[in-house]
Amino acid sequence: MPDPLRRMLSLHDFEAAARRILPKPLYAYVSGAVEDGQSERSNRQAFGEYGFRPKVLVDVSRRHTRCTILGREYAAPVGVAPMGIAALTSYRGDVALARAAAAAGVPCIMSGSSLIRLETVMAAAPGTWFQAYLPGDSAQIAALIDRVAAAGVETLVLTVDTPVAANRENNVRAGFSTPLRPSASLAWQGITHPRWLIGTLLRTLARHGMPHFENNYATRGAPILSRHVLRDFSDRGHLNWQHVAAIRRTWKGRMVLKGILHPDDARSARAHGMDAVIVSNHGGRQLDGSLAPLQALPAIVDTAGGMDVMLDSGVRRGTDVLKALALGARCVFVGRPFNYAATVAGERGVAHAIALITEEVRRDMGLLGIVDLREVDPGLLQRGR
């Protein structure tokens, strides 16, 4: 049987392959944005607003992609973004993503909306960052943070752009919900996508039982497939900077806020002792019409002080990575393409995807006349192509 990865020449190529494998509701969940998709489109379009000004006749024979993030050296400035229910779109998806990132020497953020216990992932890939959605009350928050610390997590990422549930109409139209509700339509989707049914769902059920939401709280959450149980989306509308301050007082490791688009929030993050922020609009999955992270990045870098600034949402090419770095990002995170890569070929697929974009960065550095990523600065860019 031919190796499917031979046809994967860029991150874009994984989506079509994954779409053939995944049932329609799951593909819709991963690929979809919110409402009219304005934010998702803007995320990609923002990179096209900048053109490069390369330097020539530079000896680039010894260039490298190494970088330092939160005081640690990584092999490349590209990481794996947190993605919920990854273990339903590929077998043991969270483990596959984390192990591939660890082997490649790049950061990986595990999602709090995952179906594999964080302790299992940390054992498989020590050094993985953990992204938490804060529960609805202080006691639950404290218990979750205690559990995360006990699991050996060193870098805690708090996602702060989800105070209320987003209006993801595409999920409703595609028949996706969490938990998934048994139906004739869902059964038909499984039957007509046998590779997913056998290789992911049935394999998971046989070896690990029914997946549950394992990491939203200190205790186990709802099962992924249920006719009656509703997943507990505790109201986060009351969460504020006081909750962040309370966590900072007790959390001994590195702490990052994800979902920052306003410079005032970057200032507040710095004042509350954050080590870094991730400029993000949640991949266009929360507020439609929000600013693209690349557009928001320069103002946030200006107010960041000593914090590392990172970015996600819309990154697909090595040139995207370098544009974000030129505008002040320390590194970027990629979501959907790595999810698709895991669907296509598990850990090996993710490793291939990481290698593709890392090599693009290295090649583009050569074409720009850059040997070290510390040379990347705003002078390489011109806006208004």
Side-chain angles (χ1 to χ4, degrees):
M1 182 177 179
D3 185 352
L5 295 182
R6 293 184 62 184
R7 299 190 299 274
M8 303 295 114
L9 304 182
S10 77
L11 295 193
H12 294 294
D13 293 335
F14 287 97
E15 181 170 3
R19 185 172 189 173
R20 291 191 293 269
I21 296 168
L22 292 173
K24 180 181 177 181
L26 288 182
Y27 173 74
Y29 168 75
V30 177
S31 65
V34 66
E35 293 184 349
D36 298 324
Q38 295 177 21
S39 293
E40 184 188 24
R41 289 192 297 274
S42 294
N43 291 343
R44 290 294 305 134
Q45 291 166 356
F47 290 100
E49 295 173 3
Y50 291 89
F52 286 114
R53 292 190 291 205
K55 298 176 181 179
V56 299
L57 295 176
V58 177
D59 181 354
V60 293
S61 60
R62 297 187 179 183
R63 66 195 182 279
H64 65 83
T65 61
R66 293 189 299 275
C67 63
T68 302
I69 308 164
L70 292 173
R72 175 180 170 183
E73 184 173 278
Y74 289 93
V78 182
V80 178
M83 290 169 281
I85 69 168
L88 199 61
T89 52
S90 61
Y91 177 71
R92 306 298 279 172
D94 300 290
V95 173
L97 290 162
R99 284 175 59 89
V106 300
C108 175
I109 309 176
M110 179 187 181
S111 172
S113 293
S114 46
L115 304 176
I116 299 175
R117 286 176 56 81
L118 71 94
E119 293 83 355
T120 300
V121 176
M122 294 304 152
T128 300
W129 305 6
F130 181 75
Q131 172 255 350
Y133 291 103
L134 295 183
D137 64 65
S138 297
Q140 289 179 321
I141 292 173
L144 174 61
I145 299 305
D146 287 346
R147 177 188 167 192
V148 173
V153 174
E154 299 174 348
T155 303
L156 174 65
V157 180
L158 300 182
T159 289
V160 293
D161 59 359
T162 58
V164 298
N167 184 27
R168 299 183 187 173
E169 299 163 356
N170 66 296
N171 287 350
V172 178
R173 294 189 178 99
F176 177 84
S177 64
T178 52
L180 291 167
R181 298 180 183 278
S183 66
S185 175
L186 188 62
W188 176 251
Q189 284 294 318
I191 293 170
T192 55
H193 295 83
R195 181 172 166 184
W196 171 83
L197 178 65
I198 297 168
T200 299
L201 181 60
L202 295 182
R203 188 180 178 191
T204 298
L205 293 175
R207 296 187 178 185
H208 307 282
M210 178 63 70
H212 285 61
F213 288 95
E214 298 282 4
N215 304 304
N216 284 132
Y217 304 96
T219 56
R220 197 180 208 193
I224 188 62
L225 186 67
S226 174
R227 184 177 299 279
H228 302 294
V229 176
L230 291 176
R231 184 180 171 195
D232 182 7
F233 286 103
S234 296
D235 178 28
R236 302 186 184 107
H238 67 286
L239 295 173
N240 56 64
W241 287 104
Q242 292 179 355
H243 295 93
V244 173
I247 297 170
R248 180 69 279 184
R249 286 193 294 269
T250 59
W251 180 256
K252 305 304 181 185
R254 294 178 289 269
M255 192 165 165
V256 180
L257 292 191
K258 178 180 179 295
I260 300 296
L261 289 173
H262 199 294
D264 287 352
D265 288 334
R267 292 189 188 93
S268 295
R270 184 180 63 188
H272 284 81
M274 298 301 104
D275 298 290
V277 295
I278 300 176
V279 185
S280 168
N281 66 10
H282 218 101
R285 297 167 73 89
Q286 285 301 113
L287 174 65
D288 205 19
S290 61
L291 201 62
L294 194 74
Q295 296 170 326
L297 180 60
I300 291 176
V301 170
D302 286 344
T303 60
M307 294 188 303
D308 281 358
V309 177
M310 298 167 274
L311 176 144
D312 74 17
S313 304
V315 177
R316 297 293 181 269
R317 286 286 188 180
T319 49
D320 300 337
V321 178
L322 290 168
K323 288 176 181 179
L325 266 56
L327 293 177
R330 180 73 65 173
C331 79
V332 304
F333 290 89
V334 175
R336 291 178 180 94
F338 290 157
N339 190 306
Y340 296 139
T343 298
V344 172
E347 181 180 335
R348 196 169 65 91
V350 181
H352 183 64
I354 294 171
L356 283 174
I357 193 167
T358 299
E359 180 54 31
E360 285 183 4
V361 172
R362 186 175 182 277
R363 181 185 299 110
D364 295 334
M365 289 173 66
L367 294 171
L368 283 168
I370 295 295
V371 176
D372 190 305
L373 290 175
R374 289 174 294 186
E375 302 173 49
V376 179
D377 61 31
L380 291 174
L381 301 181
Q382 180 167 316
R383 195 167 187 175
R385 290 182 64 190

